[in-house]
């Protein structure tokens, strides 16, 4: 069969989230409308019965009652059909909304980031997001409603069968079997097409590569210089044909396969209709029964075609993906045997004093990989200092930051804040003290003010004065002055009254975000290559502002530009998974170690005319 | 005339379909006509069967019954066929001919300014994946006409019983009209709530992305994002749900009016039957028609809604076509590019401002670049470096002044011919997810398969170690999405450089920030090699090599350094000359250099 019982349960389960009043309403409506065809058959038969019997004196008056009844059934049928649309929409919106909220919350609140970064988990999220990418994908709402319709619809079919059985029992299995068979064939054809179409999606994505090449402003330059237009169109055609030709072949075959279905329907209906007509002509049954059979047999037939099985099949992958996501992302309480539990401090940390953070023999290996990124690393971040972290690409600087922010758990060793293991503090409590500006910071398509304050909500409305102070420190006034709606201007052109910011402007917004966090109580500010794509002068300015306005917070700065780094209070060099040396610029230069070497190379390269980044492979 | 644009477009597309898939077009029309015939046939057959039964006419009763069964069976089969025809027609023509035409048209526009204009790009975004929707609009229009025909045919059939019943046409027009209004309300709500819907999608994507997930966790915004996402979803759905309630109310109203009219009509038939001037079969016929009518009306309306909705795609499509036609109508150069460059390239008082801005991107630039030289263009962000390069590629036309190639105005050179004698690696290079060899070979299509040439280009770009690290070497598929590998920014840049090195005899070779994403040893190697290459090309064709950089330190070896500042050429000369001059170049050079000055 098409679906297993497990599938059906999975499909129906989301109905719970719609709430019983909506479900009861929809169920009642479906139940009523599924009985309309049988009702029509009965009332028409009654009408015909009255008019067909020539014995009554005032035929028309007698026929008035069935006529009115028919009118009522017809009218109610229309009304039910009209009302079911908004009701089904409401149910679908509720189910899909709850489903999406659940997926979003699951993904956004899992304590660490490692699982979410796995490509297979990202694919699960894509499948489970209830946002169809193409017509073969359906939402949980589609699946649940259709599954319910199928169940309720069978009651309507039974009712029509009962009408049919009033004439004779044998047309019931005949018509039922033929209809079921025709429907099964139709569904199988539909699903074959569905699967073939789906298997071509990869080709469709490849076609998009060329389509994008042809219409993208950046790539458009190369398309023109290298004369690629016709070639790209040809390639696009190739992939589109590869995607669609198999599906077209299935469709063309399906066209021819309509005949058996027509024959099935004509055969079963024809037998029943001819038999009932014969008996009626010979007086074995009445013309009223004949009329009722004409209508009822056809509605049995139609009862099987009143739903779209693709809604069920198309919804299942998303529902299964969600179940799997729950398994993978649900918070787990891991008990670590190597470290005895430390009581979490009862007293809230002193907001005025930044914590003393210590990496103690921290080791880290990404799950599923062999390479040890950090290997017994020891590092201190002293209260209030400005610490620069340098190292080659791939040395593990970003990993160190993620561990510091509890986005990963160390494979070995521990990270403490004022002596307490951050793992025991719990990510929430610990992260409240930390603020990180990542290189790929988040650009919320929300009002400017929210872009600065989001995440620092302490329950009360954000203090406008604090926002303004942080923005002043970040040099945001010029950006603000250009906002058509001031703080309320959404930072995306796609929103009403919104504007797009340039890369440099975003940089200032994010700096304001960081400084706002500091003013709201973050005592450790981490900047992961915040200005890598800016030129030296702008980076220098950003750095200056930060140093000036960070208050008493500790700052950890990652940068490739040693010209910026040299101004830090202390510089730590990450090499081979450990801190290989640390000290002030002067100390490290005097020491003549790898930092001094790097600095010399950059300085020399500048003097001889090269760029001022240190990169992969330079010192290895 | 504007009113007729849609029908004109549909007529054009219909002719295209007839040319490409005549069988399908004929099949579709036949299926629709047969559907109407089957509908009428089933009603007539049922009447015959009932009447013959009452008259005890066996043969007629049985053939009526069989006729009705046949009509029902055929209409069921036709429903399937129409669906298949529609998919085939829309996909076979929409996704090949029309889709290709759209992309070819966009790529055929000579310049680049249109692709950088948001009004143009917004429309491109809508149209580029929606060719099928344009085609679907056509066939929805056709179906809507036939569905309306179905309604009319049904009612005409009733008219044969009594001309009074023709008044039902009016009653049927009410739900048709009301339904249409309801559907417009639904469509309108969809547009009105589109922003809220986009916002919830944006927030959903943030909440579930791994990249944003880092900041979201540290800042603790997860719960708040989820709350806002749900709120935006509910706002969007509330608006849409309300519109559907409105549509349902319209529908209820329309069908109530119709039901009243219809039951009155049925009463008339019953009255006639009771008084001998009609038959009981007439009642069966009338009821049969009534049952199919809702479906016909609903189909007509929903198809008409699709037609109205297709305006979303058709409007930008027609707009784009107009733009492309205007571009084609502009005068284009026709002179062939010179075989070799003898004199050089000259900018003569060139001015250019981006459309819709009043700031001059280039402001009176005059400079002569001798054939065979290496030119460096330096300056800070927004100083006009890239604009100048784009003018050389004929991506823009100067607002005033001219660019001369060996004394001939670049505008008079045939664009394709000139570009065929250029090569370039741009700052925002293409990232074609193809095989690696192809990603390089695209730089010289006639030599796409020439492995030797490709290997040479790879060497020129210092990308051999990159190729060595690829699992299948040159044959490696790029893009993890396609089962290949993802390249880093620097690796893509090397690929772009290799691509730019495919052509052997360019007259113009452009390197726009060629090493921004590369590590230092690569940068060193690449500059050395490209200096050599520039000299080689200069010997062969007198080619000019242009290097754009915002790092002053990278280009000290160029023959000519052009210093741009806010669109103006402020200094030009060799490194030593400019340092001696003590002007802007020397200033900026020193600022960057002091960051590395020894301490104390």
């Amino acid at each position: 069969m098409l679906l297993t019982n497990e599938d059906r349960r999975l499909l129906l389960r989301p109905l719970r989230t719609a709430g019983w009043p909506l479900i009861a309403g929809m169920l009642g409506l479906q139940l009523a409308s599924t009985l309309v065809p049988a009702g029509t058959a009965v009332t028409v038969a009654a009408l015909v019965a009255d008019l067909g019997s020539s014995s009554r004196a005032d035929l028309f008056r007698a026929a008035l009652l069935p006529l009115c009844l028919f009118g009522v059934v017809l009218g109610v049928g229309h009304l039910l059909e009209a009302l079911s649309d908004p009701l089904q929409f409401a149910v679908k919106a509720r189910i899909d909304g709850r489903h999406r909220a659940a997926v979003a919350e699951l993904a956004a609140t899992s304590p660490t980031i490692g699982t979410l970064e796995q490509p297979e988990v990202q694919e699960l999220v894509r499948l489970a997001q209830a946002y169809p990418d193409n017509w073969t994908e359906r939402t949980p709402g589609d699946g649940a409603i259709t599954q319910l319709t199928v169940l309720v619809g069978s009651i309507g079919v039974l009712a029509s069968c009962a009408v049919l059985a009033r004439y004779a029992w044998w047309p019931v299995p005949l018509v039922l079997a033929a209809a079921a068979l025709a429907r099964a064939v139709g569904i199988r054809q539909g699903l074959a097409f569905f699967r073939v179409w789906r298997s071509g999606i990869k080709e469709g994505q490849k076609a998009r590569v060329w389509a994008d090449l042809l219409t993208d402003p950046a790539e458009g330059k190369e398309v023109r210089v290298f004369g690629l237009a016709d070639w790209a169109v040809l390639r696009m055609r190739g992939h589109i044909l590869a995607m669609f030709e198999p599906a077209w072949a299935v469709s063309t075959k399906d066209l021819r396969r309509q005949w058996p279905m027509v024959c099935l329907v004509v055969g079963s209906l024809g037998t029943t209709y001819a038999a009932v007509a014969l008996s009626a002509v010979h007086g074995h049954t009445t013309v009223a029964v004949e009329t009722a059979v004409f209508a009822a047999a056809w509605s049995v037939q139609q009862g099987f075609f009143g739903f779209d099985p693709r809604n069920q099949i198309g919804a299942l992958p998303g529902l299964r993906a969600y179940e799997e996501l729950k398994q993978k992302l649900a918070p787990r309480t891991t008990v670590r045997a190597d470290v005895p539990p430390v009581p979490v401090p009862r007293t809230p940390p002193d907001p005025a004093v930044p914590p003393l953070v210590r990496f103690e023999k921290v080791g880290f290996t990404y799950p599923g990989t062999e390479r040890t990124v950090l290997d017994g690393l020891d590092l201190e971040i002293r209260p209030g200092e400005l610490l620069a972290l340098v190292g080659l690409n791939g040395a593990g600087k970003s990993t160190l930051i993620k561990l510091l922010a509890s986005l990963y758990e160390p494979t070995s060793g521990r990270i403490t804040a004022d002596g307490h293991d951050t793992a025991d503090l719990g990510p929430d409590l610990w992260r409240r003290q930390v603020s990180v500006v990542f290189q790929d910071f988040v650009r919320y398509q929300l009002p400017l003010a929210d872009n600065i304050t989001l995440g620092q909500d302490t329950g009360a409305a954000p203090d406008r004065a604090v926002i303004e102070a942080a923005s002043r420190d970040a040099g945001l006034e010029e950006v603000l002055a250009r906002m058509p709606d001031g703080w309320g201007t959404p930072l995306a052109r796609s929103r009403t009254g919104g504007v797009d910011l340039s890369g440099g402007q975003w940089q200032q917004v994010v700096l304001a975000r960081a400084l706002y966090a500091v003013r709201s109580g973050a005592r450790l500010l981490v900047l992961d290559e915040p200005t890598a794509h800016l030129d030296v002068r702008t980076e220098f300015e950003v750095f200056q502002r930060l140093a000036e306005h960070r208050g008493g917070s500790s700052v950890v700065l990652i940068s490739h530009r040693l010209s910026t780094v040299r101004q830090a209070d202390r510089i730590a060099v990450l090499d081979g998974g450990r801190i290989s040396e640390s000290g002030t610029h002067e100390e490290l230069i005097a020491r003549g170690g790898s930092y001094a070497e790097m600095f010399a190379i950059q300085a020399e390269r500048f003097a001889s005319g090269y760029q001022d980044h240190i990169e992969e492979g330079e010192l290895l | 005339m504007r009113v007729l644009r849609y029908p004109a477009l549909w007529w054009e597309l219909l002719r295209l379909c007839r040319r490409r898939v005549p069988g399908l077009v004929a099949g579709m029309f036949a299926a629709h006509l047969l559907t109407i015939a089957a509908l009428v046939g089933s009603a007539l057959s049922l009447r015959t069967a009932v009447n013959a039964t009452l008259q005890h006419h066996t043969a007629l009763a049985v053939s009526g019954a069989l006729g009705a069964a046949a009509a029902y069976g055929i209409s069921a089969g036709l429903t399937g066929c129409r669906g298949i025809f529609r998919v085939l027609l829309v996909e076979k023509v929409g996704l090949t001919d029309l889709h290709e035409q759209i992309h070819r048209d966009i790529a055929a526009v000579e310049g680049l300014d249109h692709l950088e204009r948001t009004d143009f790009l917004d429309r491109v975004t809508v149209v580029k994946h929606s060719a099928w929707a344009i085609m679907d609009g056509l066939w929805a229009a056709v179906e809507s006409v036939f569905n309306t025909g179905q309604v009319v045919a049904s009612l005409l059939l009733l008219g044969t019983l009594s001309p009074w019943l023709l008044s039902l046409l009016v009653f049927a027009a009410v739900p048709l009209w009301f339904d249409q209004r309801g559907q417009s309300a639904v469509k309108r709500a969809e547009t009105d709530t589109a922003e809220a819907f986009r916002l919830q999608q944006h927030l959903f994507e943030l909440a579930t992305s791994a990249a944003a997930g880092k900041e979201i966790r540290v800042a603790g915004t997860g719960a708040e994002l989820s709350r806002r996402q749900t709120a935006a979803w509910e706002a969007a759905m509330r608006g849409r749900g309300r519109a559907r309630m409105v549509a349902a109310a319209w529908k209820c109203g329309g069908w109530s009016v119709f039901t009243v009219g219809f039951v009155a009509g049925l009463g008339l038939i019953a009255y006639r039957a009771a008084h001998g001037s009609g038959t009981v079969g007439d009642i069966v016929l009338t009821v049969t028609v009534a049952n199919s009518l809702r479906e016909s009306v609903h189909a007509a309306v929903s198809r008409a809604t699709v037609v109205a909705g297709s305006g979303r795609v058709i409007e930008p499509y027609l707009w784009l076509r107009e733009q492309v036609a205007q571009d084609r109508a502009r005068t284009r150069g026709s002179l062939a590019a010179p075989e070799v460059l003898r004199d050089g390239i000259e900018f003569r008082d060139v001015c250019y401002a981006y459309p819709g801005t009043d700031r001059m991107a280039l402001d009176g630039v005059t400079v002569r670049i001798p054939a065979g030289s290496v030119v460096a263009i330096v300056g800070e962000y927004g100083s006009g470096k890239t604009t100048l390069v784009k003018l050389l590629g004929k991506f823009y036309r100067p607002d005033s002044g001219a660019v001369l190639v060996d004394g001939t105005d670049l505008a008079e050179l045939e664009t394709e011919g000139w570009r065929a004698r250029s090569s370039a690696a741009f700052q925002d290079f293409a990232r074609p997810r193809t095989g690696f060899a192809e990603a390089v070979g695209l730089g010289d299509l006639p030599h796409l398969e020439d492995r030797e040439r490709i290997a040479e280009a790879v060497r020129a770009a210092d990308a051999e170690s990159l190729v060595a690290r690829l699992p299948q070497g040159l044959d490696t598929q790029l893009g993890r999405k396609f089962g290949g590998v993802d390249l880093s920014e620097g690796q893509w840049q090397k690929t772009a450089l290799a691509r730019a090195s495919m052509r052997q005899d360019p007259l113009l070779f452009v390197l726009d920030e060629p090493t921004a994403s590369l590590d230092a040893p690569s940068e060193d190697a690449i500059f050395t090699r490209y200096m050599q290459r520039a000299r080689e090309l200069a010997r062969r064709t007198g080619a000019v090599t242009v290097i754009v950089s915002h790092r002053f330190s990278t280009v000290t070896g160029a023959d000519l350094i052009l210093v741009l500042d806010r669109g103006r050429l402020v200094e030009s000369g060799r490194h030593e000359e400019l340092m001696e001059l003590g002007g802007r170049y020397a200033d900026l050079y020193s600022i960057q250099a002091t960051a590395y000055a020894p301490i104390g």
Side-chain angles (χ1 to χ4, degrees), chain A residues 270-291:
Chain A
T271 313
T272 311
Y273 282 11
V276 76
L278 262 180
S279 355
V281 169
H282 294 118
H284 301 311
T285 190
T286 63
V287 72
V289 169
E290 184 190 13
T291 314

Side-chain angles (χ1 to χ4, degrees), chain A residues 138-207:
Chain A
R138 305 293 161 111
T139 69
D142 293 327
I145 291 172
T146 304
Q147 186 60 39
L148 198 65
T149 310
V150 171
L151 292 180
V152 176
S154 55
I155 295 173
V157 169
L158 283 181
S160 292
C161 284
V163 175
L164 210 54
R166 268 184 52 196
Y167 156 62
W169 67 268
W170 60 264
V172 174
L174 178 69
V175 174
L176 264 182
L181 196 61
R183 183 53 174 167
V185 171
I187 288 177
R188 276 187 54 173
Q189 286 176 3
L191 292 183
F193 178 73
F194 188 90
R195 293 209 180 92
V196 168
W197 199 95
R198 253 190 183 189
S199 66
I201 287 175
K202 267 266 123 71
E203 289 293 333
Q205 289 170 340
K206 287 186 182 173

Side-chain angles (χ1 to χ4, degrees), chain A residues 544-612:
Chain A
Q544 287 291 322
R545 282 185 180 279
L546 199 91
E548 226 169 282
H549 299 290
R550 68 193 160 102
S553 306
S554 320
V555 175
V556 178
L557 169 81
I558 293 181
S559 173
H560 272 137
R561 290 208 178 90
L562 301 189
S563 53
T564 307
V565 165
R566 69 187 281 186
Q567 304 165 74
D569 295 336
R570 198 160 62 91
I571 298 162
V573 181
L574 185 59
D575 186 16
R578 297 168 187 231
I579 300 299
S580 61
E581 54 191 72
S582 79
T584 62
H585 175 75
E586 290 76 9
E587 286 166 8
L588 291 180
I589 291 291
R591 199 185 134 143
S594 60
Y595 177 82
E597 209 175 321
M598 276 193 259
F599 190 82
I601 286 181
Q602 279 196 0
E604 199 275 328
R605 188 178 315 127
F606 190 86
S608 67
Y610 292 113
Q611 74 163 50
D612 51 355

Side-chain angles (χ1 to χ4, degrees), chain A residues 298-488:
Chain A
W298 178 231
S299 44
V300 169
Q301 183 70 41
Q302 288 204 302
F304 278 87
F305 285 78
F307 65 96
D308 185 354
R310 293 176 306 197
N311 280 341
Q312 295 152 287
I313 302 295
L316 279 172
L319 289 165
R320 293 200 189 108
Y322 174 59
E323 295 299 317
E324 215 174 313
L325 269 184
K326 273 201 287 199
Q327 296 282 323
K328 292 199 183 232
L329 288 175
R332 263 170 310 202
T333 41
T334 46
V335 181
R336 284 170 48 191
D338 55 333
V339 188
V342 180
V344 175
R346 293 283 158 83
T347 49
D350 181 353
V353 184
L356 169 67
V357 180
R358 250 199 200 107
F359 283 66
E360 296 174 9
K361 299 260 167 296
V362 169
F364 185 74
T365 306
Y366 279 95
T369 63
E370 297 285 309
R371 199 169 78 89
T372 310
V373 183
L374 300 182
D375 186 12
L377 176 134
D378 288 309
L379 175 67
E380 244 181 33
I381 304 168
R382 296 166 196 157
E385 80 172 335
L386 203 164
L387 173 71
L389 196 60
V390 299
L392 303 178
N393 269 4
K397 301 185 297 289
S398 294
T399 309
L400 190 144
I401 297 308
K402 288 184 195 164
L403 285 167
L404 177 60
S406 292
L407 289 168
Y408 291 116
E409 289 171 9
T411 319
S412 62
R414 59 179 202 153
I415 302 165
T416 61
D418 290 335
H420 301 289
D421 192 335
T422 53
D424 297 325
L425 289 173
D428 288 343
L429 200 61
W430 169 232
R431 285 177 190 153
R432 228 170 275 165
Q433 308 184 42
V434 185
S435 179
V436 184
V437 174
F438 293 98
Q439 206 176 343
D440 51 349
F441 52 83
V442 181
R443 298 164 186 224
Y444 297 106
Q445 294 177 12
L446 293 172
L448 174 61
D450 290 347
N451 261 290
I452 292 168
T453 61
L454 208 64
Q456 305 302 327
D457 289 343
T458 42
D463 187 346
R464 184 49 62 84
V466 181
I467 304 179
E468 279 171 1
S471 304
R472 235 187 345 270
D473 295 347
L476 198 66
E477 295 105 321
E478 206 184 317
V479 175
L480 179 64
R482 265 187 268 164
M483 295 287 131
D485 191 22
W487 293 108

Side-chain angles (χ1 to χ4, degrees), chain B residues 1 3 32 39 99 229 365 398 435 475 507 524 571 596:
Chain B
M1 272 323 279
V3 209
H32 271 294
L39 183 73
H99 188 65
Q229 188 263 334
V365 172
D475 296 312
L507 300 174
D524 190 8
E571 287 166 26
Y596 292 103

